[in-house]
Amino acid sequence: MTETSSHPYDALTPDSILDAMEAAGFVINGRLFALNSYENRVYQVGIEDSVPLIAKFYRPGRWSEAQIREEHEFTLELLGGDMPVVAPLVMPSGDTLGHHGDFFFAVFPQRGGQAPDTSTPDTLYRLGQWLGQMHNIGAKKPFASRSTLDILDGITGNNRYLIDGDWIPKDLLPAWNSLIPDLLAHCARRVDEAGETAVLRLHGDCHAGNILVREEQMLFVDLDDCRSGPAIQDLWLLLNGDEITQGQQFGELLEGYEMFRDFNRRERHLIEPLRCFRQINHCAWLARRWEDPAFPRFSPGLASPGSGLTRSWRCGSSLPPCRRHLSRYPASTKPRSVTLSNGDSMSQNEARFTIRSLLATAIGAVIATVAVLELSGKISHSTIKDNAIGEFTAIHVEPGETFRMSPKPSELHAVCEHGYLAIAADADPEFRGVLVDYKNRGVKCQ
């Protein structure tokens, strides 16, 4: 007997996707390629005599039309403020938001790149600069329809959903019920320590996976989760490593951020409560999406309601790890693994799928490692070009205009070399370079 599914995405067939694009005024060539996306459905759509476009079909019922339009308006506002974001295109129909059947959809330009290496200080400094500018724009006005991040209510509501839906495995339920009140108490104390914080429009899900880097250019993507909240929400997800490393990373982020916007240092107390919120919210999100055929396939360790004794999921080792981090700052932001404990043996298909997943992961890890080594300079290639000692940017200022500069010393100073301005190292004045523009023209000095 074949089971039938009534999930809304069952109606999103290839024909309906192409029909939606044609109805919006695009001349398609029939090529369609599905891209990785769990919450929404995203496709690369071939366009006749042009480059492909990216079509994003929003999950029915998740956002209202007004909320989606606010996402678009905010993204376009950022783009108009010279922020490097991938914004929705105005379709031939004259709107950034299309509607076809039960689905709202938007179309974006195709952009490539890879996640930034957030272990390097320069990358974090640049990210901080961009986030400071993003938050300046986000603070100009509030959202009218989109939600505001509430840590304690969010933890309480998501926990209630998991308990009421019988999603917590029976063997973990006593420990879970004992842990959650402790977590809430710890989080409440941290929220009190943070005090009153400014609320502004945020990216909302600003982790490295939602930032693309290509040829030294950064692009912020996927503002699907944009919301109102404290500035720290867009910063803490970029931290990783041990406590000392994260402290150094946070310092680099703030140095860039405060070139453009002041930061309330007390907001750092919200990092661990935000981590707890994110982990418990993630568990509840998986439970809410279990009816989506994509989720059981790619999250086989998640329990179905009432099946905790035979197939159970665990956030972290067995319980939300944010409890272990609440006593210190900062703490590890590495995502916790999902562990499968299954009383039944895997079928051959499941075993083959697992082996393929492991092979794909291993190959991807090798490719990613080589890419990181190349970007970090550990793998060098011979080049024939002049050696540059640094990159410099001229900041235009009006007479009497105030501007911010980093308090961190550059360890460089200016000298006049044969009538042209040169930059020399403080530690070794003989190590110098003439300042030139992109056409190799110098700046005269006396």
Side-chain angles (χ1 to χ4, degrees), residues 187-207:
C187 289
R189 282 196 292 271
R190 286 299 182 90
V191 171
D192 288 342
E193 289 171 356
E196 186 175 351
T197 57
V199 173
L200 59 147
R201 292 176 296 171
L202 305 169
H203 181 289
D205 195 25
C206 192
H207 56 78

Side-chain angles (χ1 to χ4, degrees), residues 261-278:
R261 182 177 178 83
D262 291 330
F263 179 79
N264 177 7
R265 293 296 204 278
R266 295 181 67 85
E267 287 191 19
R268 66 183 178 83
H269 293 293
L270 297 177
I271 291 180
E272 295 310 328
L274 285 168
R275 193 192 314 278
C276 288
F277 168 82
R278 187 174 180 85

Side-chain angles (χ1 to χ4, degrees), residues 166-171 303-312 314 341:
D166 197 20
W167 286 96
I168 308 299
K170 297 295 189 294
D171 58 327
S304 56
S307 65
L309 291 176
T310 59
R311 173 167 286 190
S312 62
R314 286 155 166 79
S341 100

Side-chain angles (χ1 to χ4, degrees), residues 153-193:
D153 284 352
I155 294 175
T156 302
N158 287 319
N159 174 64
R160 178 49 51 197
Y161 182 87
L162 292 168
I163 296 296
D164 291 347
D166 197 20
W167 286 96
I168 308 299
K170 297 295 189 294
D171 58 327
L172 291 181
L173 190 57
W176 180 278
N177 286 335
S178 173
L179 172 68
I180 293 298
D182 291 342
L183 284 179
L184 281 169
H186 283 296
C187 289
R189 282 196 292 271
R190 286 299 182 90
V191 171
D192 288 342
E193 289 171 356

Side-chain angles (χ1 to χ4, degrees), residues 61-102:
R62 183 174 185 234
W63 301 119
S64 67
E65 180 177 353
Q67 289 172 322
I68 297 175
R69 289 194 179 279
E70 274 200 316
E71 173 205 335
H72 290 192
E73 291 167 4
F74 182 42
T75 310
L76 290 170
E77 187 180 349
L78 293 173
L79 185 66
D82 295 326
M83 279 292 302
V85 296
V86 179
L89 298 172
V90 176
M91 295 182 274
S93 60
D95 199 351
T96 60
L97 186 62
H99 187 251
H100 187 79
D102 294 331

Side-chain angles (χ1 to χ4, degrees), residues 43 70 77 84 115 158 160 163 238 279 334 342 366 369 388:
Y43 302 89
E70 274 200 316
E77 187 180 349
N158 287 319
R160 178 49 51 197
I163 296 296
L238 297 171
Q279 290 172 333
K334 291 182 66 177
N342 187 359
V366 171
T369 300

Side-chain angles (χ1 to χ4, degrees), residues 2-246:
T2 302
E3 293 184 4
T4 59
S5 172
S6 60
H7 190 270
Y9 278 130
D10 290 344
L12 193 63
T13 63
D15 283 341
S16 65
I17 296 166
L18 297 177
D19 288 345
M21 293 293 287
E22 284 188 319
F26 293 100
V27 180
I28 60 175
N29 61 19
R31 293 193 176 105
L32 188 66
F33 182 73
L35 302 177
N36 290 335
S37 180
Y38 288 120
E39 189 63 8
N40 304 297
R41 294 294 186 267
V42 183
Y43 302 89
Q44 177 181 292
V45 182
I47 303 299
E48 193 69 35
D49 299 325
S50 186
V51 297
L53 295 174
I54 306 301
K56 170 183 172 181
F57 287 78
Y58 290 87
R59 179 175 291 271
R62 183 174 185 234
W63 301 119
S64 67
E65 180 177 353
Q67 289 172 322
I68 297 175
R69 289 194 179 279
E70 274 200 316
E71 173 205 335
H72 290 192
E73 291 167 4
F74 182 42
T75 310
L76 290 170
E77 187 180 349
L78 293 173
L79 185 66
D82 295 326
M83 279 292 302
V85 296
V86 179
L89 298 172
V90 176
M91 295 182 274
S93 60
D95 199 351
T96 60
L97 186 62
H99 187 251
H100 187 79
D102 294 331
F103 299 96
F104 288 110
F105 69 96
V107 178
F108 298 81
Q110 186 183 47
R111 293 289 185 267
Q114 58 190 12
D117 180 7
T118 56
S119 66
T120 60
D122 180 65
T123 298
L124 290 165
Y125 180 79
R126 292 171 58 204
L127 284 169
Q129 288 181 314
W130 284 123
L131 288 170
Q133 295 174 77
M134 179 185 289
H135 289 175
N136 279 338
I137 296 172
K140 289 182 177 179
K141 65 179 183 180
F143 281 130
S145 301
R146 298 190 76 89
S147 62
T148 298
L149 180 61
D150 190 309
I151 298 172
L152 300 179
D153 284 352
I155 294 175
T156 302
N158 287 319
N159 174 64
R160 178 49 51 197
Y161 182 87
L162 292 168
I163 296 296
D164 291 347
D166 197 20
W167 286 96
I168 308 299
K170 297 295 189 294
D171 58 327
L172 291 181
L173 190 57
W176 180 278
N177 286 335
S178 173
L179 172 68
I180 293 298
D182 291 342
L183 284 179
L184 281 169
H186 283 296
C187 289
R189 282 196 292 271
R190 286 299 182 90
V191 171
D192 288 342
E193 289 171 356
E196 186 175 351
T197 57
V199 173
L200 59 147
R201 292 176 296 171
L202 305 169
H203 181 289
D205 195 25
C206 192
H207 56 78
N210 280 336
I211 304 169
L212 298 177
V213 179
R214 187 171 187 176
E215 297 178 352
E216 299 300 317
Q217 300 297 315
M218 292 185 178
L219 275 175
F220 291 85
V221 302
D222 193 9
L223 273 79
D224 190 67
D225 287 301
C226 65
R227 63 180 69 186
S228 300
I232 190 65
Q233 169 62 15
D234 279 349
L235 299 175
W236 78 271
L237 287 171
L238 297 171
L239 307 177
N240 57 79
D242 59 27
E243 181 177 357
I244 295 175
T245 301
Q246 288 197 37

